[in-house]
């Protein structure tokens, strides 16, 4: 019977160590006993960008990047996209199980009553320049929410956490819609609590003088499916930020602001925006080969391709590609779709991309749908942040309940100078 342990020989000393293996992992802290002498700090694992380090135990989302599998709480993403709704999926992520009918009704009601934001939020948003990036406004505004809910600081009280979770899920679409209206120079539209979560969001975005906004059911469902697909993705950059910031005991509004800031970057949630800029730059199908040549020559990246975890087709991209056709039937075909299809066709055959296992990720087609629905590209990361709020909160909640979690505090390999004396200004060259 093989031992569930790792035997390590330190060739500096000739000593051997037995490190337990649990769930396919060793504990980095077990390396600390490996020392050259009693004054030695002990061995540290060096892993920039966390390429091979698990920062937590989590039961929320499962990804098998080699096989292109994504599951929330065990349920395949394809089934959830087909049969669930965003709010039901958010319940699943946060509670671990699908809700009963009455649980779902209570959950939806508990969120819907919090869709309004304090009137001061409008003044706050008014302070931004007319062309401020919506993501910058969302990050700042959600951070600002922490000043309205002082109870939120009691993060060790599960009931207080539950209340903030409802508030955050409810208010993110309202804030997102307000920043959009601010950019458009249009009056803010209050939430309509007679509408569902996604329909209400669309109403706050697009309603003008009509009493009730007539939401197109295909577009409403498409956006809801996009929300399901974006709801969680285990320990990605923004979720790690959420857990890391949350581990300091700060309120969840401040932590979500930090997570959203991480999402804003072009290598993460900003990629769908970058995809549209790239497609516009390429312009036509005829421009694709030259662009691919440039990427292979190291002049930029094929945005929307590649993933740290997926080394196969991102299962979300597959669903989104199908969804795009349904949306285009309503909105008309996005002319950039042909450029995207040609890029994908060539890239999937080209040895550069094949050998590096670069496939379309979730962002490759989502931007085309958002654009066809009338969203400006700058709103794309915001459309990602709204649903990812459920995942951030589920991961935060799990971290708060985990007795092993402490304040996140990585080690470093110091490469700076040794000790030296301060040099007076007159003696410096
Ligand atoms: N286009 C061209 N080449 C690429 C791409 C790309 N999109 N992605 C990776 N590569 C190449 C790299 O140049 C590198 O090649 P090399 O080995 O010859 O140096 C190799 O593939 C490995 O790339 P890394 O950067 O080491 O991979 P990493 O896991 O660090 O990066 C990332 C993952 C950031 C997603 C990367 O693939 C990328 O920049 N993609 C484009 C941006 C994007 O679409 N981001 C969205 C990700 S999904 C999300 O966050 C929701």
């Amino acid at each position: 019977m093989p031992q569930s342990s790792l035997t390590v020989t330190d060739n500096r000393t000739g000593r051997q160590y037995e490190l337990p293996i649990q769930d396919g992992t060793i504990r980095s802290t077990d390396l600390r006993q490996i020392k050259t002498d009693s004054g030695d700090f002990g061995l540290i694992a060096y892993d920039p960008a966390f390429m091979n380090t698990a920062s937590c135990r989590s039961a929320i989302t499962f990804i098998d990047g080699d096989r292109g599998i994504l599951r929330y709480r065990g349920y395949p993403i394809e089934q959830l996209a087909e049969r669930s709704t965003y709010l039901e999926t958010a319940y699943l992520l946060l509670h671990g199980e699908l809700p009963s009918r009455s649980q779902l009704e209570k959950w939806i009601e508990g969120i819907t009553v919090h869709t309004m934001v304090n009137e001061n939020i409008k003044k706050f948003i008014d302070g931004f320049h007319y062309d401020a990036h919506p993501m910058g406004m969302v990050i700042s505004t959600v951070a600002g929410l922490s000043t309205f809910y002082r109870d939120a600081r009691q993060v060790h009280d599960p009931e207080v956490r539950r209340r903030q979770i409802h508030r955050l899920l409810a208010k993110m679409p309202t804030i997102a819609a307000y920043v959009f209206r601010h950019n458009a120079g249009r009056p803010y539209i209050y939430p309509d609590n007679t509408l569902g979560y996604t329909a209400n969001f669309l109403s706050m975005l697009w309603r003008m003088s009509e009493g009730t906004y007539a939401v197109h059911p295909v577009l409403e469902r498409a956006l809801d499916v996009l929300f399901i697909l974006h709801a969680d993705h285990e320990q990605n950059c923004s979720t790690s930020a959420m857990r890391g910031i949350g581990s300091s005991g700060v309120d969840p509004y401040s932590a979500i602001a930090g997570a959203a800031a991480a999402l804003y970057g072009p290598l993460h949630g900003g990629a769908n925006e970058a995809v549209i800029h790239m497609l516009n730059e390429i312009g036509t199908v005829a421009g694709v080969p030259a662009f691919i040549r440039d990427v292979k020559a190291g002049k930029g990246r094929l945005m929307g391709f590649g993933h740290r975890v997926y080394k196969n087709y991102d299962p979300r991209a597959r669903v989104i590609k199908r969804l795009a056709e349904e949306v285009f039937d309503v909105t008309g075909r996005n002319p950039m779709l042909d450029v995207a299809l040609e890029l994908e066709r060539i890239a999937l055959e080209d040895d550069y991309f094949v050998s590096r296992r670069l496939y379309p990720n979730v962002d490759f087609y989502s931007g085309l749908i958002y654009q066809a629905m009338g969203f400006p590209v700058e709103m794309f990361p915001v459309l990602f942040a709204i649903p990812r709020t459920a995942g951030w909160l589920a991961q935060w909640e799990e971290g708060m309940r985990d007795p092993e979690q402490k304040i996140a505090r990585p080690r470093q390999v110091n490469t700076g100078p040794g000790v030296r004396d301060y040099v007076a200004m007159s003696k410096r060259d």
Side-chain angles (χ1 to χ4, degrees):
M1 184 72 184
Q3 287 279 334
S4 218
S5 68
L6 179 73
T7 304
V8 178
T9 306
D10 185 347
N11 292 325
R12 298 170 303 175
T13 60
R15 272 194 223 114
Q16 274 205 343
Y17 301 84
E18 197 82 5
L19 309 183
I21 298 177
Q22 196 192 353
D23 297 329
T25 58
I26 58 159
R27 282 187 181 256
S28 294
T29 45
D30 284 345
L31 298 173
R32 287 282 295 281
Q33 61 185 303
I34 304 177
K35 300 179 180 202
T36 47
D37 55 55
S38 60
D40 184 3
F41 183 78
L43 213 58
I44 293 178
Y46 174 58
D47 187 8
F50 301 108
M51 298 287 284
N52 195 40
T53 296
S55 59
C56 62
R57 302 170 76 83
S58 181
I60 299 171
T61 291
F62 172 78
I63 301 175
D64 181 333
D66 283 333
R67 292 194 290 155
I69 291 173
L70 170 61
R71 297 182 199 131
Y72 296 161
R73 302 282 190 184
Y75 294 102
I77 193 68
E78 296 82 357
Q79 290 183 26
L80 292 168
E82 181 74 29
R83 303 176 61 184
S84 185
T85 61
Y86 172 65
L87 278 190
E88 183 186 61
T89 297
Y91 182 101
L92 172 69
L93 289 169
L94 277 143
H95 297 85
E97 297 296 336
L98 286 170
S100 66
R101 191 179 299 277
S102 65
Q103 283 170 326
L104 183 61
E105 280 166 7
K106 205 167 151 225
W107 170 245
I108 292 174
E109 192 195 328
I111 291 166
T112 308
V113 295
H114 287 295
T115 51
M116 288 275 199
V117 291
N118 187 292
E119 284 293 286
N120 280 341
I121 293 283
K122 293 200 297 195
K123 293 189 210 150
F124 194 72
I125 294 175
D126 280 343
F128 286 103
H129 212 324
Y130 73 96
D131 62 352
H133 195 291
M135 200 60 177
M137 290 192 272
V138 166
I139 292 166
S140 316
T141 308
V142 78
L145 276 187
S146 77
T147 65
F148 292 86
Y149 305 111
R150 296 177 68 87
D151 61 328
R153 293 160 74 175
Q154 294 154 33
V155 292
H156 297 294
D157 181 334
E159 181 49 34
V160 171
R161 291 205 300 272
R162 193 192 58 81
R163 202 159 50 240
Q164 314 316 318
I165 287 170
H166 284 181
R167 282 180 175 146
L168 271 157
L169 289 172
K171 293 181 201 306
M172 281 299 273
T174 312
I175 293 172
Y178 280 14
V179 304
F180 171 76
R181 302 284 296 202
H182 173 75
N183 280 154
R186 294 183 189 159
Y188 304 121
I189 302 292
Y190 286 115
D192 179 348
N193 286 353
T194 64
L195 297 174
Y197 189 85
T198 308
N200 170 49
F201 176 51
L202 289 168
S203 160
M204 290 188 290
L205 289 165
W206 306 119
R207 208 177 107 199
M208 294 304 280
S209 57
E210 66 272 36
T212 307
Y213 180 70
V215 181
H216 196 293
V218 171
L219 301 187
E220 179 191 355
R221 177 63 192 158
L223 195 56
D224 208 57
V225 172
L226 285 165
F227 281 180
I228 293 170
L229 298 176
H230 286 88
D232 194 51
H233 212 232
E234 54 117 306
Q235 309 312 315
N236 54 81
C237 179
S238 59
T239 302
S240 302
M242 181 76 195
R243 280 192 181 252
I245 298 169
S247 76
S248 75
V250 77
D251 69 86
Y253 303 96
S254 303
I256 291 267
L263 187 73
Y264 190 8
L267 297 186
H268 191 10
N272 48 16
E273 186 176 344
V275 169
I276 297 296
H277 292 312
M278 173 188 77
L279 294 175
N280 286 339
E281 197 189 309
I282 298 170
T284 61
V285 169
V288 169
F291 181 80
I292 294 270
R293 259 197 314 277
D294 283 351
V295 169
K296 287 163 63 176
K299 297 183 204 157
R301 290 197 161 191
L302 176 47
M303 299 311 286
F305 258 66
H307 200 275
R308 171 61 58 78
V309 179
Y310 292 117
K311 301 301 169 198
N312 200 325
Y313 212 101
D314 183 334
R316 301 168 299 174
R318 226 184 278 282
V319 177
I320 290 179
K321 199 172 167 186
R322 271 200 308 274
L323 203 62
E325 297 297 344
E326 290 168 30
V327 170
F328 297 159
D329 281 347
V330 177
T331 61
R333 194 176 164 85
N334 188 322
M336 285 299 144
L337 179 66
D338 291 331
V339 179
L341 288 170
E342 181 64 2
L343 269 177
E344 180 186 332
R345 189 187 68 74
I346 296 188
L348 292 182
E349 286 174 357
D350 191 298
D351 188 56
Y352 175 94
F353 298 92
V354 174
S355 64
R356 289 170 179 77
R357 304 180 71 188
L358 300 170
Y359 293 89
N361 61 48
V362 65
D363 286 322
F364 193 64
Y365 288 105
S366 61
L368 289 173
I369 300 183
Y370 295 143
Q371 199 176 41
M373 288 172 92
F375 290 106
V377 285
E378 294 194 333
M379 275 297 284
F380 295 179
V382 173
L383 295 167
F384 194 157
I386 295 170
R388 184 52 61 85
T389 300
W392 289 331
L393 290 168
Q395 302 274 349
W396 170 70
E397 177 67 24
E398 187 176 57
M400 295 306 294
R401 287 170 184 261
D402 185 346
E404 279 201 302
Q405 287 300 308
K406 290 168 175 274
I407 185 164
R409 204 321 186 171
R411 294 275 171 188
Q412 64 167 10
V413 178
N414 183 285
T415 59
V419 64
R420 46 186 176 162
D421 289 324
Y422 182 81
V423 181
M425 183 64 80
S426 58
K427 298 215 169 116
R428 291 178 223 162
D429 278 333

